[in-house]
């Protein structure tokens, strides 16, 4: 049995200087491979953004399914985030659930928008490095990114791969450096697949990440959850549930406080 997610359990401090971009894509225009429950992950995370990260709903941009085309995502960064960010004062949060894929040499890591084509990554997908650079260009105080995706070519449905020619070869994405004020929580290592949790109807990483934000990840009971605490909580749960086939990763400021309870 798996607990139902409930973001309303504990009150948190509000953060009027925070912005969020939330993206979830289950079904794609140019591939039949589905990212199971990614839409649901994004819609549920919206509630966690307001009730656990303390972000005003007016400061959240949500792109789900066919509303998460490549141009929609670029516009959200270069218009929504850019116009609303106050230099060195705004905290930006980005959540992405969906497909990702790396180039054959593992050096280029891409997020697949709704209209992206796995066969033509450079032409149709969003390069992670460039997305981070665009967000960094808004000059926020901090950026926290939650990525329930992988780059191996696998999908949440273990019977499918994004590109038919990948079977049985798995691409290994190579870890990239990130800007100094970024904290990035990723669902899996570069050669692993981000899995779903059928019983909870969510991505495995998303489910435990949100469950941890409810309070379970407050390991030292000091009424706040740092990136390190959330990562340690999620790693333990995800590794056990996946039989050690999926290990979430953390880059950046591990001591950044993500959730602050009243």
């Amino acid at each position: 049995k798996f607990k139902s997610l409930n973001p309303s359990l504990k009150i948190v401090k509000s953060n009027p200087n925070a912005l969020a971009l939330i993206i979830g894509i289950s079904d794609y225009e140019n591939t039949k491979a589905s990212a199971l429950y990614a839409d649901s992950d994004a819609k549920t995370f919206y509630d966690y953004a307001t009730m656990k990260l303390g972000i005003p709903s007016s400061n959240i941009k949500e792109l789900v399914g066919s509303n998460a085309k490549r141009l929609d995502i670029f516009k959200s960064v270069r218009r929504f985030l850019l116009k609303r960010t106050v230099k060195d004062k705004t905290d930006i949060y980005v959540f992405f659930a969906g497909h990702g894929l790396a180039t054959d040499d593992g050096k280029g890591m891409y997020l697949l928008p709704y209209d992206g084509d796995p066969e033509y990554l450079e032409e149709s997908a969003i390069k992670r490095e460039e997305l981070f650079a665009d967000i960094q260009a808004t000059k926020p105080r901090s950026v926290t990114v939650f990525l329930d995706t992988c780059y191996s070519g696998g999908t949440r449905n273990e019977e499918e791969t994004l590109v038919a020619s990948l079977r049985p070869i798995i691409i290994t994405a190579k870890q990239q450096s990130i800007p100094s004020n970024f904290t990035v929580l990723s669902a899996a290592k570069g050669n692993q697949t981000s899995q779903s949790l059928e019983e909870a109807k969510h991505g495995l990483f998303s489910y435990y990440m949100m469950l941890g934000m409810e309070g379970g990840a407050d390991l030292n009971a000091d009424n706040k959850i740092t990136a390190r605490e959330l990562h340690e909580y999620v790693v333990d749960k995800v590794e056990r549930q996946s039989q050690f086939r999926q290990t979430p990763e953390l880059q950046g400021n591990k001591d950044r406080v993500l959730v602050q309870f009243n």
Side-chain angles (χ1 to χ4, degrees):
K1 292 183 179 181
F2 294 88
K3 289 177 61 177
S4 296
L5 294 172
N6 185 355
S8 63
L9 290 177
K10 297 176 74 173
I11 305 299
V12 301
K13 292 184 177 180
S14 62
N15 184 359
N17 294 315
L19 298 170
L21 174 59
I22 300 172
I23 303 165
I25 312 160
S26 294
D27 298 309
Y28 284 79
E29 190 173 57
N30 296 308
T31 176
K32 293 181 180 179
S34 176
L36 294 173
Y37 311 122
D39 286 9
S40 177
D41 291 339
K43 292 174 183 177
T44 305
F45 186 79
Y46 183 101
D47 296 330
Y48 282 79
T50 58
M51 289 186 264
K52 286 293 162 277
L53 300 177
I55 306 172
S57 57
S58 58
N59 287 3
I60 300 175
K61 182 75 170 180
E62 184 182 43
L63 303 174
V64 175
S66 60
N67 292 319
K69 297 183 179 70
R70 189 170 187 252
L71 188 57
D72 296 324
I73 296 172
F74 276 126
K75 283 182 178 179
S76 296
V77 174
R78 296 177 183 178
R79 290 184 182 177
F80 174 76
L81 293 183
L82 179 61
K83 288 181 179 180
R84 291 173 177 246
T85 297
V86 178
K87 182 180 177 181
D88 299 328
K89 189 174 182 180
T90 299
D91 298 310
I92 293 177
Y93 295 85
V94 178
F95 174 89
F96 179 89
H99 287 320
L101 195 61
T103 53
D104 290 343
D105 60 6
K107 294 180 180 179
M109 297 163 66
Y110 288 83
L111 303 178
L112 202 65
Y114 171 77
D115 54 347
D117 190 327
E119 299 277 5
Y120 298 95
L121 281 179
E122 293 183 8
E123 293 81 6
S124 68
I126 296 173
K127 196 170 187 177
R128 198 185 88 156
E129 187 177 21
E130 293 178 0
L131 176 65
F132 287 4
D134 283 347
I135 295 172
Q136 175 70 358
T138 68
K139 300 184 178 178
R141 177 171 67 174
S142 72
V143 180
T144 305
V145 184
F146 304 95
L147 294 173
D148 196 344
T149 189
C150 62
Y151 307 95
S152 65
T155 72
R156 293 183 180 190
N157 181 348
E158 295 182 6
E159 302 301 317
E160 297 177 319
T161 55
L162 275 178
V163 182
S165 60
L166 285 174
R167 193 185 303 272
I169 300 169
I170 295 295
I171 295 171
T172 300
K174 299 174 182 177
Q175 193 172 72
Q176 298 176 341
S177 61
I178 60 174
S180 60
N181 62 338
F182 273 55
T183 299
V184 180
L185 276 152
S186 304
K189 290 183 176 180
N191 62 341
Q192 296 176 333
T193 298
S194 176
Q195 301 178 30
S196 62
L197 184 60
E198 179 62 34
E199 297 87 345
K201 307 299 182 188
H202 281 290
L204 182 58
F205 169 78
S206 288
Y207 173 78
Y208 281 114
M209 184 264 293
M210 290 187 277
L211 191 64
M213 289 171 67
E214 292 179 13
D218 184 10
L219 303 178
N220 59 1
D222 65 351
N223 279 329
K224 60 185 179 183
I225 298 173
T226 63
R228 186 194 310 275
E229 286 178 310
L230 185 58
H231 178 245
E232 289 178 1
Y233 174 88
V234 172
V235 165
D236 178 62
K237 301 294 186 182
V238 169
E239 282 191 330
R240 293 176 187 277
Q241 190 62 36
S242 68
Q243 298 179 315
F244 295 89
R245 291 180 295 170
Q246 181 178 337
T247 300
E249 294 192 316
L250 171 63
Q251 283 181 276
N253 182 3
K254 296 177 174 59
D255 295 319
R256 175 169 297 155
V257 176
L258 301 181
V259 180
Q260 177 70 64
F261 298 110
N262 278 334

